[in-house]
Amino acid sequence: MPELPEVETFKRYLDSTSLHQRITNVDVRDVYVLKRVSARELARRLKGRRFENSHRHGKHLFVRAGDELWLRLHFGMTGSLQYLKRDEGTPKTARVLFSFANNRRLAFDDQRKFGEIELVTDLDEFLQTRRLGPDALEISFPEFKAIVGNHRGAVKAILLNQQLIAGIGNLYADEILFRARMHPATEAGRLSDKDLRQLFRATRHVLEKAIALKTDFNRLPKSWLLPHRGKRGRCPRCGRALKSATIGGRTSWFCPYCQKRI
Ligand SMILES: [Zn+2]
């Protein structure tokens, strides 16, 4: 599921391929993806305009197409972007295709159909209406401390709550907690200042490193949890068997030896 690092990678991909070209057509192949806009309206509003720049907040990508006109992309479970070459065939699971004057197309691909596309006039208003928390990479330590330290519940559930901190999903939450050597069910209220600082540093490190590696799971350090998580997986730090448990409604993987409950 695309989390902050994946969406940031899509943003950089879009920025390097699809900006400043006149949009000549918008082909919606599957309308489930459209939220609060019809296929006809989407095409009418975008045709003749250009994608000017983009902004990411949490797992949402906003692409500016004019004053008070943003295209919002959410990648759901399996969404991705593909900039197609001139003669390249259309991928089977492309749901929306944006055609440009240079005969290239940007495909919003989404196999499992949980993605979302919407037109937004005011970014701040959207973020407020959704009550999205600050972006996980924009947040300062004092803000992080106030959010995590003042909420009750499992620390993992807090990391996953988009209304508290936006961008972290199940896989990277487990990775962050592994790096911080914290059990995912640790009660957030019990964390000391030092624990919170460690968790904050782990959050930044994991997200930034994943972005630097363009979220290519084959290139992630072997010392990370991600290449090992799953049945028969062993902790890359101590070699013991990893455990799973449902925490915050999601399957968490962790090392019961290295990640103690505080
Ligand atoms: Zn271990």
Side-chain angles (χ1 to χ4, degrees):
M1 180 171 180
E3 303 181 26
L4 187 154
E6 282 80 14
V7 180
E8 179 63 28
T9 304
F10 296 149
K11 172 185 161 37
R12 294 178 185 190
Y13 178 73
L14 182 139
D15 288 351
S16 69
T17 57
S18 305
L19 298 184
H20 315 304
Q21 307 168 50
R22 194 163 50 82
I23 300 165
T24 54
N25 193 33
V26 180
D27 178 11
V28 177
R29 306 204 148 193
D30 206 331
V31 292
Y32 80 88
V33 73
L34 301 182
K35 303 298 165 199
R36 292 166 285 276
V37 65
S38 67
R40 184 188 245 187
E41 175 76 358
L42 184 72
R44 188 183 70 74
R45 299 278 301 276
L46 291 178
K47 265 194 215 173
R49 292 179 179 270
R50 291 170 169 79
F51 293 140
E52 295 165 7
N53 54 50
S54 68
H55 176 78
R56 184 191 55 70
H57 189 105
K59 303 178 196 173
H60 298 266
L61 179 58
F62 301 90
V63 190
R64 190 187 199 104
D67 291 342
E68 301 192 338
L69 185 63
W70 296 85
L71 182 72
R72 180 180 71 87
L73 305 174
H74 191 278
F75 297 88
M77 297 279 289
T78 54
S80 68
L81 296 175
Q82 272 188 66
Y83 188 66
L84 303 173
K85 297 191 187 84
R86 274 191 181 107
D87 308 319
E88 198 167 343
T90 308
K92 269 200 188 111
T93 49
R95 309 303 181 188
V96 178
L97 292 146
F98 302 92
S99 301
F100 301 110
N102 65 356
N103 288 324
R104 306 283 295 258
R105 293 177 299 163
L106 178 70
F108 182 85
D109 195 276
D110 186 20
Q111 195 191 348
R112 291 188 55 191
K113 298 191 176 187
F114 287 97
E116 296 180 4
I117 290 182
E118 181 181 6
L119 289 177
V120 174
T121 50
D122 186 327
L123 259 192
D124 291 334
E125 190 186 294
F126 174 84
L127 299 177
Q128 272 170 23
T129 310
R130 286 287 185 106
R131 296 199 194 145
L132 281 177
D135 184 80
L137 276 182
E138 297 292 323
I139 198 170
S140 67
F141 177 63
E143 286 175 287
F144 183 86
K145 187 178 154 184
I147 291 169
V148 179
N150 291 334
H151 277 86
R152 287 170 185 271
V155 65
K156 172 150 181 195
I158 290 169
L159 290 179
L160 289 178
N161 186 337
Q162 301 301 299
Q163 300 193 339
L164 297 178
I165 301 169
I168 302 168
N170 196 39
L171 295 186
Y172 291 108
D174 281 357
E175 194 64 55
I176 288 163
L177 291 163
F178 179 72
R179 185 169 182 89
R181 300 199 184 197
M182 228 169 256
H183 191 289
T186 298
E187 172 63 40
R190 296 179 65 91
L191 299 178
S192 68
D193 207 70
K194 191 172 158 230
D195 298 329
L196 288 164
R197 194 167 284 278
Q198 201 169 341
L199 186 62
F200 177 71
R201 281 209 193 107
T203 301
R204 288 205 72 94
H205 178 86
V206 165
L207 298 177
E208 282 171 355
K209 182 84 180 169
I211 292 168
L213 295 172
K214 295 185 177 164
T215 68
D216 180 350
F217 277 21
N218 295 319
R219 289 170 64 207
L220 293 183
K222 292 284 175 278
S223 60
W224 278 29
L225 180 70
L226 262 164
H228 307 279
R229 58 179 283 147
K231 278 180 192 158
R232 288 185 291 277
R234 295 200 162 268
C235 171
R237 190 181 283 136
C238 73
R240 290 177 173 86
L242 296 173
K243 265 189 78 168
S244 71
T246 304
I247 297 160
R250 307 292 300 277
T251 302
S252 304
W253 285 94
F254 57 96
C255 172
Y257 180 78
C258 296
Q259 295 170 259
K260 295 269 196 274
R261 273 197 209 211
I262 295 166

